[in-house]
């Protein structure tokens, strides 16, 4: 290197730094979001196959009936892909009109100032919802879209709702001389032992999932978060982990690979007696086993069957800050989608639950229930289902919950130790620990 | 074409003569690559280092100096991911090099069918990691996978079939019957990812080594054979020294690749983190923090530390291993 | 004795080859099973009655035609561009004297040390600013040069005897013509290698296309593959069909082109 090395090098570096800071400035400035496409109301979604077709049909009808900017759904990968795409888009300041999102994702977007509050739309005399309409929704499906961290504002609207259910295999239970599914967790454990003893089969397959754990804690009579602290060290929560511990120790359950549906497959082939999943899985089980009396769906076991509880699942749709025209149009679509007529159609064909009480009076739903009474059970759960915490950082707490369950199931942690560790780490996360 | 190049050459020649250097033509030649790498490689790198000094979720960022670095260096998650990364590097690069060396040596001495065998061994390398990992996930599925089906057909499974990618317990722990504590060494899940990687990359190494072997004069080896030198002696004293440049190249490239491995982790375990975070290497940790938890600064800080680790290790290898490379 | 050794060697090599191909056989076997067979634990690799219609179902479930068109278009342009940019830059770094050469080359190598995941968001912000989202430009331009290829080309050019350059310069041949007609052809094995890496890298990339594009018209095959594994109704047999469909073109291309890059003593130019 000699004296002349520097100018060229320095010049390059200067240009780079200048451009970098330019991007940095533009990237970190406040608000000023724009739509990705001015001419379309984009909806980032994850539906594939039949439900995607149904959604497209519903959108096409909406576009035909309501002249204006056309709505267009775009498949954008799974939830984590959509989260990544939206996060990148927030950084780039160009957003779709709406996207499917879990509460934990919505609150992250909201903290970046990218979410449109829905309360003004709901209250709008022209395009809003009246009191009767609002009363028709099950309270829980709306409440879950109000965010404590955003001053209790409504930031999203229900899209694909379902509840945690227990699927039981009558053939396997019958082999152990059992004729009814368990109503309490004690009965559940007893039935598992009976099945194991009578058939040698492993009675339950476990998909390690934070929502399921929340639902089980609810069913034990407990809660997950109160006043900015988690409640994982409470007896109700410990009971859930202790149950997992017992199941694992006595080899009454096995864990399935994350993202797989081995539980469903094993169930369809009468290898297991129980699995716990969202009510929306009914369509897939029905595909594999038919609408026979070989299997059934029931609410999850309870600590106290007189006061049942379960968890409300499923993504919502959130509207992003783009421009007033797009935002309004997106709301109109959301309203249309959750109208009684469309909601019933969606529920009948997608496997998700109708979210309005009036659905129960719809003749198509009644016919459907007559044909398949178990679905009534999941709909009835909506009266007492509870949503999961929708506070900032919950995305990370979900991972911590799943790690804790894995630790117990693999025998690497005792229930006691797992619960303590989970409590400490989760509290640190939600108390705003942000490195 | 030729006349265009000739014309350009003359222009550059004119410019060069004035400055007595190759600068004008060099600028022309490197401009496309430098522009693209500058904009899409160096710029993000600078931005990443810059962001590592800030806290916040990608918005409302505030400067905290080296806070993310101290937080990383004192966090359990970082050191866990560092250990996972090291296990992975040590468990894949030397192993696939050794396997490739043996296979390449074998293939080299095969006359009939060499082409076909070489093609077969190279096959995994041309397939996408995502597609191949999808297949492996099914192979290793504890319930329907052929791995457990085979073991159970052989009667080697009791009431606890191996959980493969779901198993957080250490492979040494499992092999020693519990004598070695579970937290020591890589988990079985991590070993599965390693085996996948060895399967996926060895073909590449085999082809490179085979090409290196073809450059070795046959007479050398034949004379050694006549002298009665055994397999080990022939390899140690003739083949190894002559192959050392290729081996060194593969080592350097392999180590950089293994440090940055991400796709195979992500595609095999679903999240990359694996059971009890036992497959969370540094890249997965970065990814999780950047895109799952929105901890941009922390993720960027770990990225800087990873880059520093790679640079250091590459330089060390260059100095200490590079010295022993035998060039003709 | 030596015959026994040869037989043993062959047996071991064939065994290794079978083990290497086994996942592919399993994939093909499973892709031809019914859903029931595919989800039943069994030692059977191939089903009794192959369900060829699985492939028809899979191809109908997603617009693979569009995906393949996009993927190949992008992969071919990227491959061509990477080859040209790295030939040019590699030559300059190997043979030309200019100020800042060492520093620039070190910076280029430094971009190899940082994982791609880190550059994802800055690059996405950049292409959005440039108005490139959902265009071929976004899929192609950021990948038109890479440090590793430049490094490989530089090594190859450095491996050529210096006399060539001197002789050519005396003949009055400029650098560009020398590069195009003499030096370039001499490093052909490395060019083929670089092209192969570029093609595989582009064909197999997933995360960037997923983030950089949104409309179905711009999707690539790897993204198409995620539609089969991410959905709640994942079906092992169709998933394996999709994997086979995605893998097939690279394997076919490899069989077609292998003589070029395998016969041309691939590794000859790779030296520390």
């Amino acid at each position: 290197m000699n004296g002349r090395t520097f100018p060229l090098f320095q010049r390059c570096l200067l240009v780079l730094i200048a451009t970098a800071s330019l991007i940095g400035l533009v990237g970190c400035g406040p608000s000023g979001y724009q739509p990705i496409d001015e001419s379309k109301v984009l909806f980032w979604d994850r539906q594939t196959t039949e439900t995607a077709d149904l959604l497209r049909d519903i959108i096409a009808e909406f576009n035909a009936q309501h002249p204006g900017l056309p709505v267009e759904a775009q498949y954008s990968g799974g939830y984590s892909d959509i989260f990544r795409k939206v996060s990148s888009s927030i950084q780039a300041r160009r957003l779709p009109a709406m996207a499917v999102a879990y509460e934990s994702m919505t609150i992250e977007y909201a903290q970046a100032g990218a979410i449109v509050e829905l309360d003004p739309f709901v209250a709008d005399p022209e395009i809003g919802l009246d009191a009767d309409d609002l009363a028709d929704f099950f309270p829980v499906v709306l409440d879950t879209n109000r965010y404590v961290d955003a001053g209790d504002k409504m930031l999203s609207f229900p899209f694909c709702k379902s509840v945690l259910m227990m699927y039981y295999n009558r053939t396997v239970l019958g082999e152990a001389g059992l004729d009814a599914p368990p109503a309490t967790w004690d009965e559940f454990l007893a039935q598992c032992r009976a099945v194991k003893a009578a058939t040698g089969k492993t009675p339950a397959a476990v998909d390690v999932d934070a929502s399921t754990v929340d639902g089980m804690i609810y069913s034990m009579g407990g809660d997950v978060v109160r006043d900015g602290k988690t409640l994982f060290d409470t007896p109700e929560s410990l009971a859930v982990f202790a149950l997992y511990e017992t199941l694992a120790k006595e080899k009454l359950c096995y864990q399935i690979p994350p993202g797989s549906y081995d539980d469903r497959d094993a169930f369809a082939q009468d290898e297991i007696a129980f699995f716990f999943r969202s009510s929306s899985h009914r369509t897939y089980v029905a595909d594999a086993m038919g609408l026979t009396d070989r299997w059934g769906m029931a609410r999850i076991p309870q600590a106290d069957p007189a006061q049942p509880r379960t968890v409300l699942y499923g993504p919502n749709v959130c509207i992003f800050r783009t421009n007033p025209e797009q935002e309004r149009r997106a709301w109109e679509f959301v309203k249309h989608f959750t109208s009684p007529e469309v909601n019933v159609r969606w529920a009948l064909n997608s496997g998700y639950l109708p979210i309005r009480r009036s659905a129960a009076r719809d003749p198509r739903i009644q016919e459907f229930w007559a044909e398949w009474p178990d679905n009534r059970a999941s709909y009835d759960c909506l009266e007492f289902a509870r949503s999961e915490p929708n506070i900032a950082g919950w995305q990370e707490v979900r991972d911590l919950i799943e790690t804790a369950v894995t630790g117990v199931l693999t025998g690497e942690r005792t229930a006691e130790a797992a619960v303590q560790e989970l409590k400490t780490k989760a509290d640190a996360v939600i108390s705003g620990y942000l490195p | 074409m030729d006349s265009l190049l000739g014309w350009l050459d003359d222009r550059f020649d004119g410019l060069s003569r004035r400055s007595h250097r190759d600068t004008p033509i060099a600028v022309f030649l490197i401009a496309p690559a430098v522009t693209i790498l500058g904009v899409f490689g160096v710029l993000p790198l600078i931005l990443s280092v810059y962001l590592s000094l800030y806290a916040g979720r990608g918005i409302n960022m505030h400067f905290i100096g080296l806070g993310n670095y101290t937080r990383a260096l004192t966090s359990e998650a970082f050191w866990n991911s560092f250990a996972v990364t090291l296990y992975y590097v040590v468990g894949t690069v030397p192993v696939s090099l050794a396997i490739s060396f043996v296979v390449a040596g074998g293939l080299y001495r095969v006359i009939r069918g060499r082409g076909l065998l070489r093609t077969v061994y190279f096959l995994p390398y041309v397939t996408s990691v995502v597609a191949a990992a999808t297949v492996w996930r099914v192979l290793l599925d504890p319930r329907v996978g052929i791995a457990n089906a085979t073991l159970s057909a052989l009667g080697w499974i009791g009431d606890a079939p191996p959980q493969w990618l779901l198993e957080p317990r250490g492979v040494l722990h499992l092999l020693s019957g519990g004598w070695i504590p579970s937290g020591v060494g890589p988990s079985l899940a991590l070993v599965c990812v390693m085996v996948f990687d060895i399967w996926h990359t060895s073909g590449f190494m085999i082809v490179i080594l085979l090409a290196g072997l073809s450059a070795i004069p046959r007479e050398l080896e034949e004379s050694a054979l006549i002298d009665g030198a055994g397999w080990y002696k022939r390899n140690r004293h003739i083949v190894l020294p002559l192959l050392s440049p290729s081996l060194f190249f593969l080592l350097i490239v392999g180590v950089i690749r293994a440090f940055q491995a991400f796709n195979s982790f992500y595609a095999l375990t679903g999240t990359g983190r694996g059971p009890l975070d036992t497959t969370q290497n540094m890249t997965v940790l970065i990814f999780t923090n950047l895109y799952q938890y929105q901890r941009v600064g922390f993720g960027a800080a770990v990225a800087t530390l990873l880059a520093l680790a790679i640079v250091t290790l590459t330089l060390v290898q260059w100095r200490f291993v590079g010295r022993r490379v035998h060039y003709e | 004795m030596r015959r026994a050794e040869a037989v043993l060697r062959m047996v071991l090599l064939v065994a290794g080859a079978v083990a290497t191909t086994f996942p592919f056989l399993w994939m093909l076997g499973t892709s031809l099973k019914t859903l029931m067979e595919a989800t039943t634990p069994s030692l059977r690799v191939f089903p009794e009655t192959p369900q060829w219609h699985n492939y028809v179902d899979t191809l109908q479930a997603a617009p693979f035609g569009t995906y393949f068109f996009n993927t190949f278009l992008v992969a071919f342009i990227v491959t061509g561009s990477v080859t040209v940019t790295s030939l040019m830059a590699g030559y300059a770094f190997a043979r030309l004297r200019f100020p800042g050469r060492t520093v620039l080359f070190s910076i280029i190598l430094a971009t190899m040390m940082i994982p791609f995941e880190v550059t994802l968001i800055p690059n996405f912000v950049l292409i959005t600013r440039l108005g490139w989202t959902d265009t071929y430009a976004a899929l192609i331009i950021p990948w038109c040069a890479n440090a590793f290829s430049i490094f490989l080309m530089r090594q190859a050019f450095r491996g050529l005897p210096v006399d060539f350059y001197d002789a050519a310069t005396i003949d009055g041949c400029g650098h560009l013509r020398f590069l195009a007609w003499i030096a370039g052809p001499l490093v052909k094995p490395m060019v083929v290698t670089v092209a192969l890496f570029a093609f595989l890298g582009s064909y197999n990339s997933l995360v960037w296309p997923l983030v950089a594009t949104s409309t179905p018209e711009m999707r690539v095959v790897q993204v198409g593959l995620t539609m089969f594994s991410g959905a709640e109704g994942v079906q092992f047999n169709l998933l394996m069909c999709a994997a086979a469909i995605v893998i097939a073109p690279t394997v076919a291309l490899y069989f077609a082109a292998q003589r070029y890059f395998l016969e041309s003593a691939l590794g000859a130019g790779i030296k520390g």
Side-chain angles (χ1 to χ4, degrees), chain B residues 87-104:
Chain B
Y87 289 143
Y88 187 75
V89 172
V90 172
T92 56
V93 183
V95 176
S96 36
L97 269 179
I99 292 176
S100 311
F101 181 77
V102 172
V103 173

Side-chain angles (χ1 to χ4, degrees), chain A residues 242-412:
Chain A
L243 178 66
Y244 275 126
E245 192 174 28
T246 311
L247 290 173
K249 260 195 193 137
E250 298 182 22
K251 299 202 163 42
L252 298 174
C253 76
Y254 63 88
Q255 190 194 337
I256 63 160
S260 83
Y261 298 94
D262 279 11
D263 47 355
R264 228 156 58 192
D265 297 335
F267 185 82
Q269 290 168 25
D270 300 335
E271 287 172 26
I272 58 168
F274 304 108
F275 75 95
F276 295 85
R277 286 273 195 176
S278 124
S279 54
S280 61
H281 282 246
R282 65 162 165 88
T283 48
Y284 304 106
V285 181
D287 280 348
M289 301 179 79
L291 280 183
T292 60
D293 56 3
R294 285 172 54 210
W295 64 285
M297 270 160 84
R299 72 177 186 214
I300 59 170
Q302 304 287 325
D304 176 9
Q307 286 186 318
R309 296 250 191 89
T310 193
V311 68
L312 179 77
Y313 265 123
N316 309 295
V317 54
C318 60
I319 298 179
F320 294 110
R321 287 185 31 198
T322 44
N323 63 35
E325 193 192 3
Q326 294 233 344
E327 291 165 11
R328 187 185 163 98
R329 187 72 176 156
W331 163 254
E332 285 176 348
F333 173 73
V334 168
K335 186 188 163 192
H336 173 80
F337 187 84
T338 50
S339 65
E341 157 67 21
V342 178
N343 186 231
V344 164
R345 249 174 81 202
W346 178 248
L348 285 173
N349 295 299
S350 68
Y352 296 105
L353 291 174
I355 51 174
R356 284 168 168 261
R357 291 200 166 101
S358 60
R361 298 190 297 272
D362 190 287
R364 288 168 298 174
I365 290 277
Q366 285 182 341
E367 191 187 328
F368 175 60
W369 285 345
E371 195 183 319
W372 197 0
D374 277 351
N375 283 300
R376 172 93 219 192
S378 50
Y379 179 79
D380 288 343
C381 285
L382 280 174
E383 286 295 352
F384 55 80
R386 303 183 52 180
S387 54
E388 293 174 77
N390 56 13
I391 53 181
W394 198 251
Q395 192 101 315
E396 192 170 348
V397 175
R398 289 181 62 87
D399 286 347
L400 293 172
I401 296 175
E402 286 164 12
T403 302
V405 174
T406 310
V408 171
L409 286 178
T410 53
E412 288 291 274

